[in-house]
Amino acid sequence: MRRSELFMTASKESVADTSCRSEELALKSGLIHRYGSGTFGYTHFGKKVLDNIKSVVRDEMDQVAQEIRMNLLQTSELWKESGRWKDFEGEEFFHFKNRDGKDFCLAATHEEAVVGLTKRFVQSYRDLDFTVYQIGRKFRDDHARKGLLRAKEFTMKDAYSFHREEKGLDQKFDEMIDVYRNIFDRLGLNYSIVGADTGSMGGDASREFLAESDAGSDTYMKCSKCGFGTKDLGLEKCQECGSELEKVNGVEIGQCFKLGTRYSDAMDLKFQTEEDHENSVLMGCYGIGVSRLIAAIIEQNNDEKGICWNKEVSAFETAVIIARREDEAEEKAREIYRGLKEKQDVLLYDGRLSVGEAFAEADLIGVQRKVIIGNSYLEKGLVELEDREGYKEEVRDLDEIK
């Protein structure tokens, strides 16, 4: 994409009224726009980052689940069935009455909705086991703070599994832990897995994925060698490898729950067994804060220049910068741009910004590599390459720029 055509609101100035590094950089880079407390919009640059994260999540989830889509505008009936109407996380519900006086809410979570969706499908043991997931928006009237780390409107991946027996639920729970590891590893996150309270979700067991960050609201003990984590702040030694533990703060990026029959009992989700008995379906629930991942990644991957994305996340892998305005340099830049954009996301700085501004902005928004057409090209026919860490080299052939 040409920079002159890109809808992005990056700023050279520091952003006021921010409380953590990820919020500052997300706003300064033009990744997001803050409409008000806890509600944000995404520029084209920001949407590309969000979509790249979604793509990683979807790629891993498609191997173990089927993607669906559920309603954002929910009636109160299903929530009253489960007993959670107006009782979800205190006052975090956005609820209202429509013109007919009926109670509605904006989706804070989808346990009730997914039970409503699957009731007609699940009749017999032959219909089990299966897992579904969606990637979409949620709404919670939380105390908004720290940008995307705690918003009132956010993007989430939520999955739900349905089982005949405890064994199947246990296997899916363990499988999801591995899937989450794959996702967070691909996104370049440093995280720990800790036991957690099931809270208002209910159920029998829960595991929480925490990404280390000073901006995080969770405090836990972490082993830097094996990734073990615990919220038992009095524990001195790692239970997995015997190493010393350190006390850190972290951001919750994902959580897995064994719900058991918490919702199927309340909402009458039953199936006929092989022995012709009627049993409640066992359920699991598995969430990832997709938009929160943007903030968690920035918190762990930034420097004085800006954001340091990895290849999976970065909106633009390469920035082509024209450092001299001679026709020969500009034509070479356009040639390189045309060649690269067929196989990767490329940003061509085509003169809207000064050379210095282009360099600074490419670093700010986390472009992984710069291709510079300047003095070296005009004098020696060489194109300069510079990665985000500052390593430089010169190449002659276009084939060497991969």
Side-chain angles (χ1 to χ4, degrees):
M1 174 166 282
R2 293 175 177 271
R3 179 62 183 90
S4 58
E5 299 172 351
L6 175 62
F7 173 55
M8 184 176 69
T9 56
S11 172
K12 293 179 288 185
E13 307 301 324
S14 297
V15 180
D17 192 28
T18 60
S19 56
C20 63
R21 184 65 168 156
S22 61
E23 182 181 17
E24 175 194 358
L25 288 176
L27 289 167
K28 183 177 180 180
S29 68
L31 192 150
I32 59 174
H33 170 73
R34 182 168 52 199
Y35 285 107
S37 176
T39 177
F40 300 93
Y42 293 80
T43 63
H44 182 67
F45 159 57
K47 184 178 182 300
K48 284 174 71 68
V49 170
L50 182 64
D51 286 347
N52 286 345
I53 294 174
K54 287 182 182 179
S55 180
V56 171
V57 173
R58 185 172 280 116
D59 184 47
E60 296 293 336
M61 286 300 303
D62 280 346
Q63 300 179 48
V64 297
Q66 303 171 62
E67 187 169 8
I68 61 171
R69 181 177 176 179
M70 290 183 281
N71 57 333
L72 294 178
L73 181 62
Q74 300 180 344
T75 60
S76 63
E77 281 79 5
L78 289 175
W79 286 85
K80 289 175 180 177
E81 272 190 61
S82 72
R84 296 203 299 172
W85 179 246
K86 295 188 180 180
D87 192 33
F88 176 79
E89 299 289 352
E91 298 297 321
E92 290 188 12
F93 237 15
F94 282 109
H95 56 87
F96 55 92
K97 292 183 182 294
N98 73 348
R99 64 174 67 188
D100 300 318
K102 293 183 178 180
D103 288 316
F104 283 81
C105 68
L106 296 178
T109 185
H110 277 84
E111 284 75 27
E112 285 80 3
V114 79
V115 171
L117 178 67
T118 57
K119 256 187 177 180
R120 289 187 179 182
F121 174 74
V122 177
Q123 302 294 327
S124 160
Y125 69 93
R126 296 184 182 91
D127 301 323
L128 301 166
D129 294 354
F130 66 93
T131 305
V132 295
Y133 82 97
Q134 64 173 358
I135 300 175
R137 290 183 296 166
K138 299 282 191 289
F139 302 86
R140 296 179 187 174
D141 194 12
D142 199 353
H143 296 291
R145 54 195 182 277
K146 298 182 179 179
L148 296 177
L149 287 178
R150 185 68 71 178
K152 295 179 182 290
E153 176 184 354
F154 53 94
T155 301
M156 185 174 177
K157 188 285 301 176
D158 47 317
Y160 306 89
S161 63
F162 300 82
H163 308 274
R164 291 174 284 179
E165 301 173 342
E166 291 281 356
K167 181 180 179 181
L169 175 57
D170 291 344
Q171 289 174 343
K172 178 58 68 171
F173 188 84
D174 292 341
E175 182 180 56
M176 282 295 186
I177 295 291
D178 291 337
V179 168
Y180 277 29
R181 287 182 185 273
N182 293 341
I183 291 170
F184 299 140
D185 287 346
R186 286 178 61 177
L187 297 177
L189 283 163
N190 176 15
Y191 61 90
S192 297
I193 305 174
V194 305
D197 182 11
T198 57
S200 66
M201 303 296 287
D204 306 317
S206 174
R207 295 290 183 274
E208 197 171 28
F209 288 76
L210 297 174
E212 184 179 346
S213 168
D214 290 340
S217 58
D218 285 287
T219 303
Y220 63 105
M221 303 299 290
K222 171 193 171 183
C223 176
S224 58
K225 289 189 177 181
C226 71
F228 170 83
T230 177
K231 289 189 174 179
D232 180 357
L233 302 183
L235 197 63
E236 295 179 355
K237 294 283 187 178
C238 176
Q239 295 176 345
E240 300 291 333
C241 69
S243 301
E244 293 292 331
L245 298 175
E246 60 175 324
K247 185 177 177 180
V248 297
N249 283 356
V251 174
E252 179 196 322
I253 52 176
Q255 194 161 5
C256 298
F257 298 88
K258 290 183 182 179
L259 297 175
T261 60
R262 158 66 178 89
Y263 296 91
S264 53
D265 281 344
M267 302 178 70
D268 198 34
L269 180 60
K270 311 287 187 181
F271 72 98
Q272 293 298 122
T273 69
E274 289 184 76
E275 295 78 22
D276 205 30
H277 298 148
E278 188 177 71
N279 285 357
S280 294
V281 175
L282 293 163
M283 290 177 59
C285 168
Y286 318 90
I288 290 178
V290 176
S291 52
R292 182 181 287 182
L293 285 174
I294 295 176
I297 293 168
I298 295 175
E299 285 292 330
Q300 291 187 354
N301 299 274
N302 71 82
D303 59 18
E304 70 282 355
K305 297 178 182 178
I307 304 167
C308 304
W309 306 117
N310 73 5
K311 188 175 181 179
E312 295 272 18
V313 181
S314 182
F316 300 102
E317 187 175 339
T318 301
V320 178
I321 298 177
I322 307 172
R324 292 282 295 267
R325 304 316 306 180
E326 285 82 352
D327 291 344
E328 185 180 358
E330 292 192 355
E331 178 52 40
K332 185 63 176 179
R334 288 191 289 269
E335 177 191 350
I336 292 171
Y337 171 66
R338 289 192 295 268
L340 288 177
K341 74 175 184 176
E342 298 301 321
K343 49 194 174 183
Q344 61 179 257
D345 287 313
V346 186
L347 185 59
L348 174 63
Y349 282 92
D350 53 355
R352 182 171 181 173
L353 303 178
S354 70
V355 176
E357 289 172 335
F359 270 78
E361 183 182 271
D363 286 336
L364 172 63
I365 68 175
V367 178
Q368 292 192 298
R369 177 182 64 174
K370 305 181 194 72
V371 176
I372 305 150
I373 299 89
N375 292 335
S376 292
Y377 179 72
L378 293 176
E379 296 168 5
K380 301 180 290 184
L382 297 176
V383 173
E384 301 169 68
L385 306 181
E386 180 179 325
D387 68 17
R388 184 61 177 77
E389 287 72 42
Y391 174 77
K392 300 178 182 180
E393 63 175 319
E394 294 181 330
V395 299
R396 186 175 300 277
D397 296 326
L398 183 59
D399 291 342
E400 297 182 59
I401 308 174
K402 299 179 181 178

